[in-house]
Amino acid sequence: MKRSAAGKAKGPSLKTVALAAGVSLTTVSNAYNKPEHVSDEVRDMIFAIAREQGYAGPDPAARSLRSRHSGAIGVLFTSQLSYAFSDPYCVELLTGLAEVAEENRISVVLIPLARRVVAPEEEVRRSVEAVRHAVIDGAVADGIDDGHPALQVLLSRGLPLIRSVDNSESHCVMIDEREAGRSVGEYLAGLGHRHVAVVVDHLHEPSSPDEAVEEDELFPYSRLRLAGIREGLAGHGRVTVVAARRNTAASGWVAADAALERADPPTAIVATSDVLALGALEALARRNVPAGAGGVSVVGFDDIPAAAPAGLTTVRQPIREKGRLMGRMLLDSSYTQRRMVLPTQLVTRTSTGPAN
Amino acid sequence: MKRSAAGKAKGPSLKTVALAAGVSLTTVSNAYNKPEHVSDEVRDMIFAIAREQGYAGPDPAARSLRSRHSGAIGVLFTSQLSYAFSDPYCVELLTGLAEVAEENRISVVLIPLARRVVAPEEEVRRSVEAVRHAVIDGAVADGIDDGHPALQVLLSRGLPLIRSVDNSESHCVMIDEREAGRSVGEYLAGLGHRHVAVVVDHLHEPSSPDEAVEEDELFPYSRLRLAGIREGLAGHGRVTVVAARRNTAASGWVAADAALERADPPTAIVATSDVLALGALEALARRNVPAGAGGVSVVGFDDIPAAAPAGLTTVRQPIREKGRLMGRMLLDSSYTQRRMVLPTQLVTRTSTGPAN
DNA sequence: ACGTTCATGTAAAACGATACACAAGGACCG
DNA sequence: CGGTCCTTGTGTATCGTTTTACATGAACGT
């Protein structure tokens, strides 16, 4: 098994295999990609020689370059990957997307994005690079605000993009965020609530929950939900906005606690996500204030799996289905639809009741 | 803004930009990749022309082909992606890995693998294809049994691979699964348990929990844990093995229930994962049998986040740290270590107590 | 004034595969 | 027997970069 050490020791390639097999480049390529175009004998012979040379099949990068597609799609996150996995909403969406990707035999590339508004220049540059370098055929971006430079790059690369916010320019799968908020406002107004605290998920991290909230800097969905809530309350009640530092139960706890601490505490707390709302429930529990009837009402959004066990009233949206649809819209060319609005539904549980 | 329609309408490329800017290909390339090698003036000019042409920067596939690296690593799962996200162990591991990937500005490609032993031929072929086509610089494979064809492909592609099972041939970050099992066996023996049911996560789906379990077909970790448990009991007690169809609480419930239904019910149930163990707790609750002292003891493995709230006795392993280390071993070239064994620790909670 | 270094920039050769157009030899058909 | 397919293959031209090695002129110390 001695090997001649002459010549440069380059790895095996289609060429070396073709040479050894005495067939053309194309034939070897076909053996891998279009087995039906090559006779069984020749194909087996080629594979045997490939194995012998330690050739693992066509190089994916070269294939992608030449064929102009890669068999992978990207998922853009507004946050760190490491955080995304702890967000039930993200996980659920990703699950739906992954289902479709699997059906289509496509793999999924996770790409974290910096938060545009506040991220240090460096962060943004970094996420643009990530998108620039990603070998993908398209992407899904959830909850990323318009004009994030990374989206621009994606678009100018000519890649299809599916989003979850309303935008006439790109395809999207969305819910009517504002309407969802309104249903909550109306519901609370109907229960007699006159002062509602809204815990919002903030784009940047405010130094304290008391800091005035710049509504420009909210995530698109937070802004719309907040607007909807105000609309739904329609003058029946006033709103105090409290910012959470991050979309975690702990942050929700802190923010809700600050609201309850006020001289004029609210009779209801709405959080722009269930995770925050669960934190608010925690805040109430620690203060021995009951949630719902006879105490302070709490409402969330999304109806993540943990909401029901906690008795949390929330606005349900079909998260997993949303992920699936985004995937289909991206991968299934028979989907001609450009824009899809999914239904939402207020699910009342024990965390809400009439105002005290 | 009329455009000459002559010539083929190909997209912009380094070449078109270089031509329009009156500089060489290399210079344009450098403007993107080695900004310090190009004067500010020229660079800005190049970017301006690029923007004008709608050029989004060097093509990732071509870059990968030429430079021989892609800025992405793969994660191989034994299961469907859609399922992996609902497995707390996976999520935790992924989180750790993602942290490191982010630090290194590397993106993560999710690649599902078919279960080798039983998967239909087609499934295996499909997962091998997925690995073949993935544009990655290396991969992490957790809990995948030796000799899975996809691993072979990866290896013959010459990609670095980090695994979580003991194998002298490849780098790995692991725990001493057997020892972990033994600690449970010894613990239960010490508590006086003489009959222990072990709920194992099975590679294939047995038709019923009563079916004889082929230990060859267990996941590597299940097999080792089971062996460890036997060793720990060391003749003080006997073991009944029950197979769960999948690694979910529901399956754990069914399997545990079957064990409890026996003529000679066990006094303790060990499950090879916390998820299964939580299902076992559920089974006890439904039967109004207390868990732990005065009832049936339940032990799990891994100490996932949900274990503590449930009072589940379990063998803790530093899952997230494991993910981080796998990532570092793959990405940080200063990590020369080939093999790393992480500590485990039996964490006793309320789900265990003396045998009745 | 001379060699050395630095800052810029250039030219040409890979990188490894797939698409496209076409060819040889049978089979088939009327 | 001539034409038309079908099967199995073959060459060759790209795909769009990065690399490697080299060129140019200015700056600089001695």
Side-chain angles (χ1 to χ4, degrees):
Chain A
M1 279 296 259
K2 246 189 184 176
R3 241 179 228 175
S4 155
K8 338 183 198 176
K10 280 205 283 192
S13 71
L14 270 197
K15 188 145 85 178
T16 65
V17 173
L19 221 58
V23 297
S24 76
L25 267 182
T26 311
T27 300
V28 180
S29 174
N30 284 340
Y32 284 97
N33 301 315
K34 305 175 185 169
E36 68 279 9
H37 284 20
V38 176
S39 70
D40 291 358
E41 294 173 43
V42 175
R43 184 152 28 88
D44 288 347
M45 190 255 288
I46 289 175
F47 287 159
I49 294 189
R51 202 167 320 118
E52 192 180 306
Q53 297 196 354
Y55 179 67
D59 181 283
R63 154 200 285 268
S64 299
L65 170 58
R66 184 63 243 240
S67 69
R68 309 312 298 155
H69 64 78
S70 66
I73 58 173
V75 185
L76 272 36
F77 291 94
T78 1
S79 55
Q80 292 189 295
L81 248 44
S82 38
Y83 159 75
F85 294 123
S86 67
D87 179 7
Y89 171 87
C90 275
V91 168
E92 197 69 4
L93 193 80
L94 216 43
T95 301
L97 184 67
E99 279 178 21
V100 177
E102 268 166 8
E103 282 168 18
N104 293 61
R105 311 184 188 185
I106 288 284
S107 49
V108 173
V109 183
L110 270 22
I111 309 174
L113 245 49
R115 301 186 169 188
R116 184 175 61 100
V117 181
V118 256
E121 186 79 9
E122 169 62 14
E123 281 298 313
V124 170
R125 216 186 48 69
R126 192 190 286 205
S127 42
V128 169
E129 290 287 83
V131 172
R132 230 202 266 297
H133 293 356
V135 185
I136 51 179
D137 300 329
V140 166
D142 182 77
I144 297 189
D145 48 342
D146 270 22
H148 190 298
L151 291 190
Q152 301 308 318
V153 170
L154 221 43
L155 258 16
S156 62
R157 272 182 62 184
L159 295 176
L161 176 65
I162 313 288
R163 311 186 48 195
S164 67
V165 303
D166 206 356
N167 179 315
S168 52
E169 294 180 42
S170 59
H171 293 204
C172 67
V173 177
M174 48 174 293
I175 61 170
D176 188 336
E177 306 280 2
R178 194 182 197 100
E179 174 55 31
R182 181 159 38 216
S183 69
V184 172
E186 284 169 1
Y187 170 66
L188 290 176
L191 285 173
H193 292 277
R194 297 293 171 257
H195 181 196
V196 176
V198 179
V199 178
V200 297
D201 184 12
H202 212 256
L203 262 180
H204 80 248
E205 306 201 347
S207 39
S208 91
D210 298 321
E211 186 185 336
V213 174
E214 294 291 340
E215 299 195 6
D216 288 353
E217 300 195 355
L218 298 181
F219 277 103
Y221 77 89
S222 285
R223 186 167 49 238
L224 292 168
R225 287 172 183 183
L226 174 57
I229 293 165
R230 286 206 166 101
E231 222 170 291
L233 283 168
H236 291 116
R238 67 201 169 82
V239 164
T240 299
V241 178
V242 198
R245 297 175 66 95
R246 305 184 55 193
N247 186 30
T248 62
S251 300
W253 180 87
V254 172
D257 211 57
L260 293 168
E261 196 61 44
R262 293 171 59 104
D264 58 335
T267 61
I269 301 176
V270 182
T272 55
S273 80
D274 279 352
V275 171
L276 292 174
L278 291 173
L281 287 179
E282 182 71 17
L284 290 179
R286 299 240 188 143
R287 286 168 168 260
N288 283 320
V289 176
V296 173
S297 291
V298 175
V299 184
F301 279 87
D302 299 343
D303 197 24
I304 62 175
L312 179 66
T313 292
T314 186
V315 181
R316 171 180 302 158
Q317 65 165 306
I319 313 176
R320 193 178 292 204
E321 181 63 13
K322 194 173 173 181
R324 281 196 210 101
L325 286 171
M326 294 181 105
R328 296 227 171 80
M329 205 174 262
L330 192 57
L331 296 173
D332 186 341
S333 51
S334 69
Y335 255 65
T336 56
Q337 205 153 359
R338 265 51 185 143
R339 190 165 174 285
M340 201 158 235
V341 181
L342 265 30
T344 61
Q345 181 196 355
L346 181 70
V347 180
T348 58
R349 298 204 180 96
T350 57
S351 72
T352 47
N356 272 347
Chain B
M1 280 295 261
K2 246 189 186 174
R3 240 180 227 175
S4 156
K8 337 183 200 174
K10 281 201 285 188
S13 70
L14 270 196
K15 187 145 86 178
T16 65
V17 173
L19 220 58
V23 297
S24 75
L25 268 183
T26 312
T27 302
V28 181
S29 173
N30 284 340
Y32 284 97
N33 302 315
K34 304 177 187 168
E36 70 280 9
H37 283 20
V38 175
S39 70
D40 291 359
E41 294 172 44
V42 175
R43 184 152 27 88
D44 289 347
M45 190 254 287
I46 288 175
F47 287 158
I49 294 187
R51 204 168 316 120
E52 194 178 304
Q53 296 196 354
Y55 179 67
D59 180 282
R63 156 200 283 271
S64 299
L65 170 57
R66 184 61 242 240
S67 68
R68 310 311 300 156
H69 64 79
S70 67
I73 57 172
V75 185
L76 271 36
F77 291 95
T78 0
S79 55
Q80 291 190 293
L81 248 43
S82 38
Y83 158 75
F85 293 125
S86 68
D87 179 7
Y89 171 86
C90 274
V91 168
E92 197 68 5
L93 192 80
L94 218 41
T95 302
L97 184 66
E99 280 178 22
V100 177
E102 268 166 6
E103 283 168 17
N104 292 60
R105 311 185 189 184
I106 288 284
S107 47
V108 173
V109 183
L110 269 24
I111 309 175
L113 245 49
R115 300 184 171 190
R116 183 173 64 98
V117 182
V118 252
E121 186 80 8
E122 170 63 13
E123 281 299 310
V124 171
R125 216 186 48 71
R126 192 192 284 204
S127 42
V128 170
E129 290 287 82
V131 172
R132 232 201 263 300
H133 293 357
V135 186
I136 51 178
D137 301 330
V140 165
D142 182 75
I144 297 188
D145 49 340
D146 269 24
H148 189 299
L151 291 190
Q152 300 309 317
V153 169
L154 220 45
L155 258 15
S156 61
R157 272 182 62 185
L159 295 176
L161 175 64
I162 314 288
R163 311 186 50 196
S164 67
V165 303
D166 205 357
N167 179 316
S168 52
E169 294 181 38
S170 60
H171 293 203
C172 68
V173 178
M174 48 175 291
I175 61 171
D176 188 336
E177 306 280 2
R178 192 180 199 102
E179 173 55 32
R182 180 160 36 215
S183 69
V184 172
E186 284 170 1
Y187 170 66
L188 291 177
L191 285 174
H193 292 277
R194 296 294 171 256
H195 181 196
V196 176
V198 180
V199 178
V200 297
D201 184 11
H202 212 255
L203 263 179
H204 82 250
E205 307 200 347
S207 39
S208 90
D210 297 322
E211 187 185 336
V213 174
E214 293 291 339
E215 300 195 6
D216 287 353
E217 299 194 355
L218 298 180
F219 278 103
Y221 76 90
S222 284
R223 185 169 47 239
L224 292 168
R225 287 172 185 183
L226 173 56
I229 293 165
R230 286 206 166 102
E231 222 171 291
L233 283 170
H236 292 115
R238 67 203 169 83
V239 164
T240 300
V241 178
V242 196
R245 298 175 65 93
R246 305 184 54 192
N247 186 30
T248 62
S251 300
W253 180 87
V254 172
D257 212 55
L260 294 168
E261 195 62 43
R262 294 170 58 104
D264 57 335
T267 60
I269 301 177
V270 183
T272 54
S273 80
D274 280 352
V275 172
L276 291 174
L278 292 174
L281 286 179
E282 183 72 18
L284 291 179
R286 300 241 186 140
R287 287 171 167 258
N288 283 319
V289 175
V296 172
S297 292
V298 175
V299 184
F301 279 87
D302 298 344
D303 198 24
I304 62 174
L312 179 66
T313 292
T314 186
V315 182
R316 171 180 300 158
Q317 64 165 307
I319 312 177
R320 191 177 293 204
E321 182 63 13
K322 193 173 173 182
R324 281 196 210 101
L325 287 172
M326 293 180 105
R328 296 227 171 82
M329 207 175 259
L330 192 57
L331 296 171
D332 187 339
S333 51
S334 69
Y335 255 67
T336 56
Q337 205 151 2
R338 264 50 181 145
R339 189 162 176 285
M340 201 159 234
V341 180
L342 266 30
T344 59
Q345 181 195 358
L346 180 70
V347 181
T348 59
R349 299 205 180 95
T350 58
S351 72
T352 44
N356 271 349

